[in-house]
Amino acid sequence: MNPLSQRISVLERLWQEFRRLPDARLCRWLFTPDEHWFLTLFLQKQTGPQAVSNDIFITLDTPVQHWQTFFEQALADLSEQVGHDLLLLADQNIRIQWPTEANGAKQDPITRFISSVNLLDARLRTYTDGLLVLCLLPQATASNIVLDRTLTALLMGGLSPTVRILIMDTIGAEQLATLPGRFRQEVCSNAINLQLQKVIHQVAALGSPMAPDVKFRQWHAEMSTALTQRDLPDVLYFAQKCELICQQERWAALEGSVHLAVAQAYKDHRRHEDALDRYKRVIDQMEPLYDAGDALAGRISLVAWLGAGEIYETTRQRQRAINEYELASSRAEHLKEWLLAIESHRRLALAYEQNGRSRLSEEHYIRLFTLAEHLPPEQHPVARLPEIGRQYWQRQQTPDKRRKADELLTQLLGNRRW
């Protein structure tokens, strides 16, 4: 078993232990700040043939801005997900009616949400003996108090005995420190330290210790650790070792990626000129390779343009930032790197707006939403489209413009609240 799979198996064991607890309703996993993404890997695996159980995990990223209005938006998000999944199930002759009768106007939002979840769970019992699990990963939270009240309402609202809640918290910055004390039997908390840096080093060490690729991975792992720890001298030291191997082996693209890491380290220490020098070095090295047909070199230049643009924004050189972002957006579209293209146009829209050029800002927002049609729905949160959609809607100054923005965003993202 490889090091990454070993870490996922830890989460699978903890989940099996949790689901065997007779009174536990909410599973709270506390990760170190740089290990939250392990939960995403765990959830992805649970949708495939190697799932650890028959449990059905539904992830909701609904923002928690107010503990009562959360349930209205969460039900809309849940309905959108379930509606999509039920169409797929119908193709397999599994027909489950979504419990729309629970959406009666006479019920308050909390009761309506819980009734819908319970009815869905009851209908799923026909096809599976697994649990229905609501995995709550809000994009944003107004405060720890609001999140605590939201989960308290769920725990006290009468969820079915076969429904569970899975949430994530952060070691050292806990949002739900008091919840386990108030719900001793219902809430199960586990602090999880999966030793990410150890994983990186274990993966890097796979292979002959004298092979250039193994030595590169080891030095690169050390450089990445130093970058995370904001240790600039170590970043420069290990980067130099990586660069020497790249030059010896003629790994030009890998050398470009090392320069990007060094530029990021300089940027973290506000050494803007040093960072810009590195980005320029990357572009000077990568562009001839891209012209010769190396698409990877073109992607590295793209990242360098975005990095340089960010520095120019920080130093209030907006036209220079715009110039870098224009280069990045053109390259991203040419390479069909849709996520990077969307990010480039987002930055252009904001830069033009701050520069007082509203018409150009509007053009880049529209271009961004057009490009977003290339993305599958599961990548919308990765591209930050709900957040961008809210920003775009809020900048509309008239009811007619907001109505048109509603139509555009609903067509792209579904019936959500911005």
Side-chain angles (χ1 to χ4, degrees):
M1 184 180 295
N2 66 53
L4 196 58
S5 297
Q6 289 174 353
R7 269 62 181 186
I8 301 303
S9 69
V10 171
L11 299 181
E12 292 175 335
R13 176 178 56 79
L14 289 172
W15 180 253
Q16 292 281 43
E17 291 176 358
F18 165 76
R19 69 192 308 280
R20 285 195 290 266
L21 297 174
D23 299 320
R25 295 291 174 265
L26 186 147
C27 178
R28 171 177 170 249
W29 283 344
L30 294 93
F31 293 88
T32 58
D34 58 349
E35 294 182 356
H36 289 162
W37 58 278
F38 276 107
L39 178 57
T40 302
L41 293 182
F42 167 81
L43 292 172
Q44 288 174 349
K45 187 175 179 182
Q46 304 321 303
T47 63
Q50 295 182 328
V52 72
S53 68
N54 291 330
D55 299 340
I56 300 171
F57 291 83
I58 297 179
T59 300
L60 293 177
D61 62 0
T62 310
V64 183
Q65 303 297 342
H66 188 280
W67 72 278
Q68 290 179 311
T69 56
F70 162 81
F71 290 99
E72 294 182 15
Q73 187 174 347
L75 183 55
D77 292 346
L78 180 63
S79 297
E80 184 178 336
Q81 280 198 51
V82 171
H84 176 267
D85 291 342
L86 293 186
L87 288 175
L88 298 178
L89 289 173
D91 292 338
Q92 307 297 322
N93 293 320
I94 300 175
R95 303 188 183 278
I96 301 173
Q97 181 184 359
W98 169 237
T100 53
E101 63 268 29
N103 298 342
K106 294 182 181 180
Q107 293 180 316
D108 64 85
I110 299 174
T111 302
R112 197 155 60 242
F113 179 83
I114 290 176
S115 296
S116 296
V117 171
N118 286 348
L119 281 170
L120 175 63
D121 177 66
R123 287 168 180 164
L124 288 171
R125 295 301 101 221
T126 305
Y127 300 97
T128 180
D129 59 354
L131 301 170
L132 176 61
V133 185
L134 299 179
C135 185
L136 304 183
L137 301 175
Q139 295 176 8
T141 304
S143 70
N144 296 351
I145 294 174
V146 173
L147 182 60
D148 187 286
R149 287 178 176 173
T150 301
L151 293 170
T152 297
L154 266 178
L155 288 169
M156 299 181 67
L159 282 171
S160 166
T162 48
V163 174
R164 298 290 183 272
I165 304 167
L166 175 61
I167 61 171
M168 180 172 60
D169 212 337
T170 303
I171 296 172
E174 296 185 23
Q175 293 182 288
L176 299 163
T178 64
L179 195 68
R182 290 187 291 107
F183 294 92
R184 295 183 182 278
Q185 300 299 319
E186 293 93 338
V187 174
C188 175
S189 293
N190 292 106
I192 302 168
N193 184 351
L194 297 173
Q195 298 178 303
L196 176 59
Q197 295 305 323
K198 188 174 181 181
V199 175
I200 293 172
H201 286 81
Q202 287 175 327
V203 172
L206 295 174
S208 170
M210 298 306 295
D213 60 325
V214 173
K215 287 193 291 185
F216 175 83
R217 289 200 303 268
Q218 289 174 327
W219 293 135
H220 197 279
E222 296 288 356
M223 182 186 69
S224 299
T225 300
L227 186 62
T228 302
Q229 296 172 347
R230 298 173 62 87
D231 187 337
L232 181 58
D234 270 6
V235 170
L236 297 176
Y237 174 78
F238 292 115
Q240 186 178 35
K241 290 184 173 294
C242 289
E243 290 167 27
L244 287 173
I245 294 175
C246 290
Q247 291 162 9
Q248 291 167 2
E249 301 297 323
R250 297 183 180 180
W251 294 337
L254 281 178
E255 185 180 355
S257 71
V258 173
H259 290 317
L260 289 178
V262 173
Q264 181 63 49
Y266 280 135
K267 188 163 60 176
D268 289 344
H269 286 77
R270 303 186 65 80
R271 290 175 55 173
H272 297 138
E273 290 302 321
D274 289 325
L276 286 171
D277 285 344
R278 284 283 175 159
Y279 286 132
K280 185 177 185 303
R281 188 188 303 185
V282 170
I283 294 163
D284 288 344
Q285 289 181 351
M286 294 300 111
E287 284 305 278
L289 296 174
Y290 175 67
D291 291 339
D294 189 336
L296 177 57
R299 293 185 183 93
I300 294 173
S301 288
L302 161 57
V303 176
W305 282 321
L306 288 173
E310 187 177 352
I311 291 176
Y312 286 131
E313 274 199 277
T314 301
T315 56
R316 298 184 182 279
Q317 301 178 70
R318 288 202 182 98
Q319 187 55 53
R320 284 191 168 188
I322 287 170
N323 293 343
E324 300 294 315
Y325 293 153
E326 290 281 9
L327 289 168
S329 65
S330 177
R331 176 62 53 78
E333 290 191 41
H334 183 72
L335 294 175
K336 298 183 180 180
E337 293 281 352
W338 305 124
L339 287 172
L340 290 172
I342 288 168
E343 175 61 15
S344 302
H345 284 289
R346 182 190 73 83
R347 295 189 187 190
L348 280 166
L350 292 176
Y352 276 123
E353 188 170 6
Q354 291 165 357
N355 223 19
R357 299 158 78 178
S358 298
R359 182 183 62 79
L360 287 171
S361 176
E362 177 76 11
E363 288 179 6
H364 283 286
Y365 271 117
I366 297 302
R367 183 60 182 164
L368 180 161
F369 294 132
T370 300
L371 294 174
E373 295 175 0
H374 292 284
L375 297 180
E378 59 267 21
Q379 287 193 5
H380 287 174
V382 179
R384 299 166 60 190
L385 289 178
E387 175 189 340
I388 296 170
R390 284 192 295 273
Q391 292 172 348
Y392 176 71
W393 188 88
Q394 290 166 358
R395 73 188 292 274
Q396 306 306 311
Q397 299 298 315
T398 66
D400 184 57
K401 287 183 177 180
R402 289 195 168 188
R403 178 185 59 76
K404 290 180 179 178
D406 269 331
E407 293 174 356
L408 185 156
L409 295 169
T410 300
Q411 181 178 0
L412 175 65
L413 300 174
N415 186 22
R416 294 178 179 268
R417 292 180 179 270
W418 318 111

mmCIF file of all heavy atoms in Angstrom, residues 90-127:
data_model
loop_
_atom_site.group_PDB
_atom_site.id
_atom_site.type_symbol
_atom_site.label_atom_id
_atom_site.label_comp_id
_atom_site.label_asym_id
_atom_site.label_seq_id
_atom_site.Cartn_x
_atom_site.Cartn_y
_atom_site.Cartn_z
ATOM 1 N N ALA A 90 -32.229 6.665 -12.473
ATOM 2 C CA ALA A 90 -33.354 6.202 -13.293
ATOM 3 C C ALA A 90 -32.862 5.420 -14.499
ATOM 4 O O ALA A 90 -33.529 4.484 -14.967
ATOM 5 C CB ALA A 90 -34.195 7.398 -13.734
ATOM 6 N N ASP A 91 -31.676 5.779 -15.002
ATOM 7 C CA ASP A 91 -31.102 5.025 -16.119
ATOM 8 C C ASP A 91 -30.786 3.582 -15.728
ATOM 9 O O ASP A 91 -30.670 2.706 -16.586
ATOM 10 C CB ASP A 91 -29.817 5.714 -16.615
ATOM 11 C CG ASP A 91 -30.107 7.057 -17.268
ATOM 12 O OD1 ASP A 91 -31.258 7.255 -17.699
ATOM 13 O OD2 ASP A 91 -29.183 7.895 -17.339
ATOM 14 N N GLN A 92 -30.606 3.348 -14.405
ATOM 15 C CA GLN A 92 -30.333 1.996 -13.899
ATOM 16 C C GLN A 92 -31.603 1.342 -13.343
ATOM 17 O O GLN A 92 -31.528 0.377 -12.586
ATOM 18 C CB GLN A 92 -29.265 2.065 -12.792
ATOM 19 C CG GLN A 92 -27.993 2.787 -13.196
ATOM 20 C CD GLN A 92 -27.282 2.092 -14.330
ATOM 21 O OE1 GLN A 92 -27.244 0.862 -14.379
ATOM 22 N NE2 GLN A 92 -26.718 2.874 -15.259
ATOM 23 N N ASN A 93 -32.769 1.920 -13.706
ATOM 24 C CA ASN A 93 -34.074 1.415 -13.243
ATOM 25 C C ASN A 93 -34.241 1.509 -11.732
ATOM 26 O O ASN A 93 -34.939 0.699 -11.117
ATOM 27 C CB ASN A 93 -34.286 -0.033 -13.712
ATOM 28 C CG ASN A 93 -34.422 -0.133 -15.219
ATOM 29 O OD1 ASN A 93 -35.063 0.716 -15.840
ATOM 30 N ND2 ASN A 93 -33.814 -1.154 -15.805
ATOM 31 N N ILE A 94 -33.551 2.473 -11.122
ATOM 32 C CA ILE A 94 -33.749 2.774 -9.706
ATOM 33 C C ILE A 94 -34.492 4.103 -9.636
ATOM 34 O O ILE A 94 -33.938 5.156 -9.960
ATOM 35 C CB ILE A 94 -32.410 2.857 -8.945
ATOM 36 C CG1 ILE A 94 -31.672 1.525 -9.033
ATOM 37 C CG2 ILE A 94 -32.622 3.263 -7.499
ATOM 38 C CD1 ILE A 94 -30.288 1.540 -8.404
ATOM 39 N N ARG A 95 -35.747 4.049 -9.251
ATOM 40 C CA ARG A 95 -36.581 5.256 -9.291
ATOM 41 C C ARG A 95 -36.981 5.650 -7.870
ATOM 42 O O ARG A 95 -37.667 4.905 -7.172
ATOM 43 C CB ARG A 95 -37.815 5.021 -10.161
ATOM 44 C CG ARG A 95 -37.428 4.582 -11.575
ATOM 45 C CD ARG A 95 -38.597 4.518 -12.524
ATOM 46 N NE ARG A 95 -38.169 4.019 -13.825
ATOM 47 C CZ ARG A 95 -37.590 4.779 -14.759
ATOM 48 N NH1 ARG A 95 -37.388 6.064 -14.511
ATOM 49 N NH2 ARG A 95 -37.221 4.262 -15.919
ATOM 50 N N ILE A 96 -36.496 6.840 -7.480
ATOM 51 C CA ILE A 96 -36.790 7.363 -6.143
ATOM 52 C C ILE A 96 -37.397 8.752 -6.315
ATOM 53 O O ILE A 96 -36.791 9.622 -6.945
ATOM 54 C CB ILE A 96 -35.514 7.453 -5.274
ATOM 55 C CG1 ILE A 96 -34.876 6.070 -5.133
ATOM 56 C CG2 ILE A 96 -35.808 8.065 -3.918
ATOM 57 C CD1 ILE A 96 -33.532 6.087 -4.434
ATOM 58 N N GLN A 97 -38.577 8.942 -5.769
ATOM 59 C CA GLN A 97 -39.219 10.249 -5.866
ATOM 60 C C GLN A 97 -38.585 11.194 -4.860
ATOM 61 O O GLN A 97 -38.484 10.889 -3.676
ATOM 62 C CB GLN A 97 -40.718 10.114 -5.595
ATOM 63 C CG GLN A 97 -41.460 11.456 -5.710
ATOM 64 C CD GLN A 97 -42.927 11.308 -5.327
ATOM 65 O OE1 GLN A 97 -43.374 10.220 -4.997
ATOM 66 N NE2 GLN A 97 -43.657 12.419 -5.356
ATOM 67 N N TRP A 98 -38.143 12.351 -5.333
ATOM 68 C CA TRP A 98 -37.604 13.347 -4.410
ATOM 69 C C TRP A 98 -38.752 13.926 -3.595
ATOM 70 O O TRP A 98 -39.789 14.290 -4.133
ATOM 71 C CB TRP A 98 -36.864 14.440 -5.185
ATOM 72 C CG TRP A 98 -36.484 15.647 -4.375
ATOM 73 C CD1 TRP A 98 -36.832 16.942 -4.616
ATOM 74 C CD2 TRP A 98 -35.677 15.676 -3.194
ATOM 75 N NE1 TRP A 98 -36.304 17.768 -3.680
ATOM 76 C CE2 TRP A 98 -35.581 17.022 -2.780
ATOM 77 C CE3 TRP A 98 -35.043 14.695 -2.429
ATOM 78 C CZ2 TRP A 98 -34.874 17.412 -1.645
ATOM 79 C CZ3 TRP A 98 -34.339 15.087 -1.302
ATOM 80 C CH2 TRP A 98 -34.251 16.420 -0.926
ATOM 81 N N PRO A 99 -38.609 14.022 -2.299
ATOM 82 C CA PRO A 99 -39.744 14.367 -1.405
ATOM 83 C C PRO A 99 -40.136 15.836 -1.483
ATOM 84 O O PRO A 99 -39.935 16.610 -0.540
ATOM 85 C CB PRO A 99 -39.200 14.006 -0.019
ATOM 86 C CG PRO A 99 -37.714 14.132 -0.144
ATOM 87 C CD PRO A 99 -37.402 13.690 -1.536
ATOM 88 N N THR A 100 -40.694 16.242 -2.613
ATOM 89 C CA THR A 100 -41.089 17.641 -2.751
ATOM 90 C C THR A 100 -42.233 18.020 -1.821
ATOM 91 O O THR A 100 -42.430 19.195 -1.510
ATOM 92 C CB THR A 100 -41.527 17.923 -4.197
ATOM 93 O OG1 THR A 100 -42.522 16.961 -4.574
ATOM 94 C CG2 THR A 100 -40.343 17.801 -5.149
ATOM 95 N N GLU A 101 -43.006 17.021 -1.346
ATOM 96 C CA GLU A 101 -44.122 17.362 -0.459
ATOM 97 C C GLU A 101 -43.646 17.923 0.875
ATOM 98 O O GLU A 101 -44.407 18.515 1.620
ATOM 99 C CB GLU A 101 -45.009 16.137 -0.213
ATOM 100 C CG GLU A 101 -44.311 14.979 0.516
ATOM 101 C CD GLU A 101 -43.692 13.995 -0.446
ATOM 102 O OE1 GLU A 101 -43.308 14.392 -1.544
ATOM 103 O OE2 GLU A 101 -43.623 12.809 -0.088
ATOM 104 N N ALA A 102 -42.347 17.747 1.176
ATOM 105 C CA ALA A 102 -41.833 18.301 2.439
ATOM 106 C C ALA A 102 -41.542 19.786 2.322
ATOM 107 O O ALA A 102 -41.199 20.427 3.287
ATOM 108 C CB ALA A 102 -40.549 17.580 2.844
ATOM 109 N N ASN A 103 -41.707 20.343 1.108
ATOM 110 C CA ASN A 103 -41.347 21.735 0.910
ATOM 111 C C ASN A 103 -42.541 22.677 1.089
ATOM 112 O O ASN A 103 -42.596 23.746 0.504
ATOM 113 C CB ASN A 103 -40.757 21.930 -0.494
ATOM 114 C CG ASN A 103 -39.483 21.128 -0.672
ATOM 115 O OD1 ASN A 103 -38.880 20.705 0.297
ATOM 116 N ND2 ASN A 103 -39.082 20.942 -1.916
ATOM 117 N N GLY A 104 -43.492 22.270 1.888
ATOM 118 C CA GLY A 104 -44.673 23.086 2.116
ATOM 119 C C GLY A 104 -44.348 24.426 2.747
ATOM 120 O O GLY A 104 -43.495 24.541 3.593
ATOM 121 N N ALA A 105 -45.078 25.464 2.314
ATOM 122 C CA ALA A 105 -44.789 26.815 2.788
ATOM 123 C C ALA A 105 -45.107 26.987 4.268
ATOM 124 O O ALA A 105 -44.619 27.905 4.907
ATOM 125 C CB ALA A 105 -45.586 27.820 1.955
ATOM 126 N N LYS A 106 -45.944 26.116 4.832
ATOM 127 C CA LYS A 106 -46.338 26.273 6.234
ATOM 128 C C LYS A 106 -45.225 25.873 7.192
ATOM 129 O O LYS A 106 -45.257 26.227 8.364
ATOM 130 C CB LYS A 106 -47.598 25.453 6.508
ATOM 131 C CG LYS A 106 -48.834 25.953 5.754
ATOM 132 C CD LYS A 106 -50.057 25.123 6.101
ATOM 133 C CE LYS A 106 -51.283 25.612 5.333
ATOM 134 N NZ LYS A 106 -52.488 24.810 5.655
ATOM 135 N N GLN A 107 -44.271 25.104 6.724
ATOM 136 C CA GLN A 107 -43.183 24.655 7.600
ATOM 137 C C GLN A 107 -42.067 25.687 7.641
ATOM 138 O O GLN A 107 -41.784 26.357 6.655
ATOM 139 C CB GLN A 107 -42.621 23.321 7.103
ATOM 140 C CG GLN A 107 -43.585 22.153 7.228
ATOM 141 C CD GLN A 107 -42.957 20.872 6.707
ATOM 142 O OE1 GLN A 107 -42.332 20.867 5.661
ATOM 143 N NE2 GLN A 107 -43.136 19.780 7.439
ATOM 144 N N ASP A 108 -41.423 25.795 8.793
ATOM 145 C CA ASP A 108 -40.260 26.672 8.878
ATOM 146 C C ASP A 108 -39.097 26.006 8.143
ATOM 147 O O ASP A 108 -39.116 24.797 7.887
ATOM 148 C CB ASP A 108 -39.905 26.941 10.341
ATOM 149 C CG ASP A 108 -39.483 25.675 11.056
ATOM 150 O OD1 ASP A 108 -38.294 25.316 10.964
ATOM 151 O OD2 ASP A 108 -40.348 25.036 11.710
ATOM 152 N N PRO A 109 -38.050 26.785 7.771
ATOM 153 C CA PRO A 109 -36.965 26.241 6.938
ATOM 154 C C PRO A 109 -36.258 25.032 7.546
ATOM 155 O O PRO A 109 -35.905 24.102 6.824
ATOM 156 C CB PRO A 109 -36.005 27.425 6.795
ATOM 157 C CG PRO A 109 -36.874 28.632 6.965
ATOM 158 C CD PRO A 109 -37.914 28.239 7.960
ATOM 159 N N ILE A 110 -36.062 25.032 8.878
ATOM 160 C CA ILE A 110 -35.361 23.913 9.514
ATOM 161 C C ILE A 110 -36.191 22.645 9.398
ATOM 162 O O ILE A 110 -35.691 21.585 8.998
ATOM 163 C CB ILE A 110 -35.061 24.234 10.992
ATOM 164 C CG1 ILE A 110 -34.160 25.454 11.094
ATOM 165 C CG2 ILE A 110 -34.418 23.032 11.685
ATOM 166 C CD1 ILE A 110 -33.939 25.934 12.513
ATOM 167 N N THR A 111 -37.474 22.743 9.727
ATOM 168 C CA THR A 111 -38.361 21.576 9.644
ATOM 169 C C THR A 111 -38.462 21.077 8.213
ATOM 170 O O THR A 111 -38.462 19.860 7.952
ATOM 171 C CB THR A 111 -39.759 21.932 10.176
ATOM 172 O OG1 THR A 111 -39.649 22.398 11.526
ATOM 173 C CG2 THR A 111 -40.689 20.728 10.137
ATOM 174 N N ARG A 112 -38.545 22.005 7.261
ATOM 175 C CA ARG A 112 -38.658 21.636 5.851
ATOM 176 C C ARG A 112 -37.406 20.877 5.393
ATOM 177 O O ARG A 112 -37.501 19.865 4.709
ATOM 178 C CB ARG A 112 -38.869 22.894 5.017
ATOM 179 C CG ARG A 112 -39.403 22.628 3.630
ATOM 180 C CD ARG A 112 -40.166 23.841 3.068
ATOM 181 N NE ARG A 112 -39.326 25.022 2.973
ATOM 182 C CZ ARG A 112 -39.547 26.151 3.635
ATOM 183 N NH1 ARG A 112 -40.564 26.237 4.479
ATOM 184 N NH2 ARG A 112 -38.761 27.195 3.475
ATOM 185 N N PHE A 113 -36.243 21.364 5.796
ATOM 186 C CA PHE A 113 -34.992 20.703 5.406
ATOM 187 C C PHE A 113 -34.906 19.310 6.009
ATOM 188 O O PHE A 113 -34.623 18.326 5.307
ATOM 189 C CB PHE A 113 -33.803 21.551 5.858
ATOM 190 C CG PHE A 113 -32.465 20.942 5.536
ATOM 191 C CD1 PHE A 113 -31.897 21.096 4.285
ATOM 192 C CD2 PHE A 113 -31.771 20.206 6.495
ATOM 193 C CE1 PHE A 113 -30.667 20.521 3.977
ATOM 194 C CE2 PHE A 113 -30.539 19.631 6.205
ATOM 195 C CZ PHE A 113 -29.989 19.790 4.935
ATOM 196 N N ILE A 114 -35.155 19.195 7.301
ATOM 197 C CA ILE A 114 -35.026 17.897 7.974
ATOM 198 C C ILE A 114 -36.074 16.916 7.468
ATOM 199 O O ILE A 114 -35.783 15.723 7.271
ATOM 200 C CB ILE A 114 -35.117 18.091 9.502
ATOM 201 C CG1 ILE A 114 -33.847 18.813 9.991
ATOM 202 C CG2 ILE A 114 -35.283 16.759 10.229
ATOM 203 C CD1 ILE A 114 -33.843 19.157 11.451
ATOM 204 N N SER A 115 -37.293 17.392 7.214
ATOM 205 C CA SER A 115 -38.334 16.503 6.676
ATOM 206 C C SER A 115 -37.943 15.959 5.307
ATOM 207 O O SER A 115 -38.149 14.780 5.014
ATOM 208 C CB SER A 115 -39.662 17.261 6.566
ATOM 209 O OG SER A 115 -40.121 17.657 7.845
ATOM 210 N N SER A 116 -37.334 16.826 4.481
ATOM 211 C CA SER A 116 -36.905 16.382 3.150
ATOM 212 C C SER A 116 -35.813 15.331 3.243
ATOM 213 O O SER A 116 -35.842 14.315 2.540
ATOM 214 C CB SER A 116 -36.413 17.584 2.339
ATOM 215 O OG SER A 116 -37.445 18.503 2.097
ATOM 216 N N VAL A 117 -34.845 15.568 4.123
ATOM 217 C CA VAL A 117 -33.752 14.610 4.306
ATOM 218 C C VAL A 117 -34.302 13.280 4.810
ATOM 219 O O VAL A 117 -33.921 12.204 4.327
ATOM 220 C CB VAL A 117 -32.694 15.167 5.270
ATOM 221 C CG1 VAL A 117 -31.662 14.093 5.630
ATOM 222 C CG2 VAL A 117 -31.989 16.371 4.654
ATOM 223 N N ASN A 118 -35.203 13.332 5.768
ATOM 224 C CA ASN A 118 -35.757 12.095 6.332
ATOM 225 C C ASN A 118 -36.562 11.310 5.298
ATOM 226 O O ASN A 118 -36.499 10.070 5.251
ATOM 227 C CB ASN A 118 -36.631 12.417 7.538
ATOM 228 C CG ASN A 118 -35.811 12.806 8.758
ATOM 229 O OD1 ASN A 118 -34.591 12.626 8.775
ATOM 230 N ND2 ASN A 118 -36.461 13.359 9.766
ATOM 231 N N LEU A 119 -37.335 11.997 4.464
ATOM 232 C CA LEU A 119 -38.114 11.312 3.442
ATOM 233 C C LEU A 119 -37.198 10.688 2.388
ATOM 234 O O LEU A 119 -37.444 9.572 1.914
ATOM 235 C CB LEU A 119 -39.092 12.285 2.786
ATOM 236 C CG LEU A 119 -40.367 12.577 3.600
ATOM 237 C CD1 LEU A 119 -41.135 13.728 2.986
ATOM 238 C CD2 LEU A 119 -41.255 11.334 3.671
ATOM 239 N N LEU A 120 -36.145 11.421 2.013
ATOM 240 C CA LEU A 120 -35.180 10.850 1.072
ATOM 241 C C LEU A 120 -34.536 9.605 1.669
ATOM 242 O O LEU A 120 -34.406 8.574 1.000
ATOM 243 C CB LEU A 120 -34.108 11.888 0.736
ATOM 244 C CG LEU A 120 -32.960 11.393 -0.160
ATOM 245 C CD1 LEU A 120 -33.485 10.968 -1.528
ATOM 246 C CD2 LEU A 120 -31.891 12.465 -0.303
ATOM 247 N N ASP A 121 -34.152 9.687 2.922
ATOM 248 C CA ASP A 121 -33.542 8.547 3.600
ATOM 249 C C ASP A 121 -34.494 7.353 3.631
ATOM 250 O O ASP A 121 -34.091 6.210 3.366
ATOM 251 C CB ASP A 121 -33.156 8.944 5.027
ATOM 252 C CG ASP A 121 -32.590 7.779 5.815
ATOM 253 O OD1 ASP A 121 -31.502 7.291 5.444
ATOM 254 O OD2 ASP A 121 -33.232 7.358 6.794
ATOM 255 N N ALA A 122 -35.759 7.601 3.919
ATOM 256 C CA ALA A 122 -36.739 6.512 3.984
ATOM 257 C C ALA A 122 -36.875 5.811 2.631
ATOM 258 O O ALA A 122 -36.988 4.581 2.562
ATOM 259 C CB ALA A 122 -38.092 7.062 4.437
ATOM 260 N N ARG A 123 -36.830 6.562 1.565
ATOM 261 C CA ARG A 123 -36.985 5.960 0.241
ATOM 262 C C ARG A 123 -35.725 5.224 -0.189
ATOM 263 O O ARG A 123 -35.786 4.264 -0.950
ATOM 264 C CB ARG A 123 -37.378 7.041 -0.756
ATOM 265 C CG ARG A 123 -38.831 7.450 -0.533
ATOM 266 C CD ARG A 123 -39.235 8.689 -1.250
ATOM 267 N NE ARG A 123 -40.641 8.971 -0.958
ATOM 268 C CZ ARG A 123 -41.241 10.122 -1.178
ATOM 269 N NH1 ARG A 123 -40.544 11.111 -1.708
ATOM 270 N NH2 ARG A 123 -42.507 10.290 -0.875
ATOM 271 N N LEU A 124 -34.581 5.682 0.290
ATOM 272 C CA LEU A 124 -33.336 4.981 -0.021
ATOM 273 C C LEU A 124 -33.259 3.620 0.675
ATOM 274 O O LEU A 124 -32.527 2.733 0.230
ATOM 275 C CB LEU A 124 -32.131 5.833 0.385
ATOM 276 C CG LEU A 124 -31.854 7.062 -0.485
ATOM 277 C CD1 LEU A 124 -30.762 7.929 0.154
ATOM 278 C CD2 LEU A 124 -31.443 6.654 -1.888
ATOM 279 N N ARG A 125 -33.994 3.456 1.783
ATOM 280 C CA ARG A 125 -33.958 2.184 2.534
ATOM 281 C C ARG A 125 -34.364 1.002 1.649
ATOM 282 O O ARG A 125 -33.986 -0.140 1.916
ATOM 283 C CB ARG A 125 -34.931 2.228 3.716
ATOM 284 C CG ARG A 125 -34.687 3.187 4.846
ATOM 285 C CD ARG A 125 -33.366 3.020 5.557
ATOM 286 N NE ARG A 125 -32.413 4.022 5.109
ATOM 287 C CZ ARG A 125 -31.159 3.804 4.869
ATOM 288 N NH1 ARG A 125 -30.642 2.612 4.995
ATOM 289 N NH2 ARG A 125 -30.363 4.769 4.472
ATOM 290 N N THR A 126 -35.163 1.282 0.593
ATOM 291 C CA THR A 126 -35.607 0.212 -0.306
ATOM 292 C C THR A 126 -34.431 -0.398 -1.068
ATOM 293 O O THR A 126 -34.456 -1.579 -1.435
ATOM 294 C CB THR A 126 -36.629 0.781 -1.317
ATOM 295 O OG1 THR A 126 -37.686 1.402 -0.591
ATOM 296 C CG2 THR A 126 -37.190 -0.320 -2.207
ATOM 297 N N TYR A 127 -33.397 0.395 -1.261
ATOM 298 C CA TYR A 127 -32.301 -0.027 -2.142
ATOM 299 C C TYR A 127 -30.979 -0.270 -1.427
ATOM 300 O O TYR A 127 -30.077 -0.867 -2.022
ATOM 301 C CB TYR A 127 -32.084 1.043 -3.229
ATOM 302 C CG TYR A 127 -33.309 1.273 -4.081
ATOM 303 C CD1 TYR A 127 -34.184 2.331 -3.814
ATOM 304 C CD2 TYR A 127 -33.601 0.433 -5.143
ATOM 305 C CE1 TYR A 127 -35.312 2.545 -4.601
ATOM 306 C CE2 TYR A 127 -34.732 0.644 -5.929
ATOM 307 C CZ TYR A 127 -35.579 1.689 -5.651
ATOM 308 O OH TYR A 127 -36.702 1.891 -6.418
#
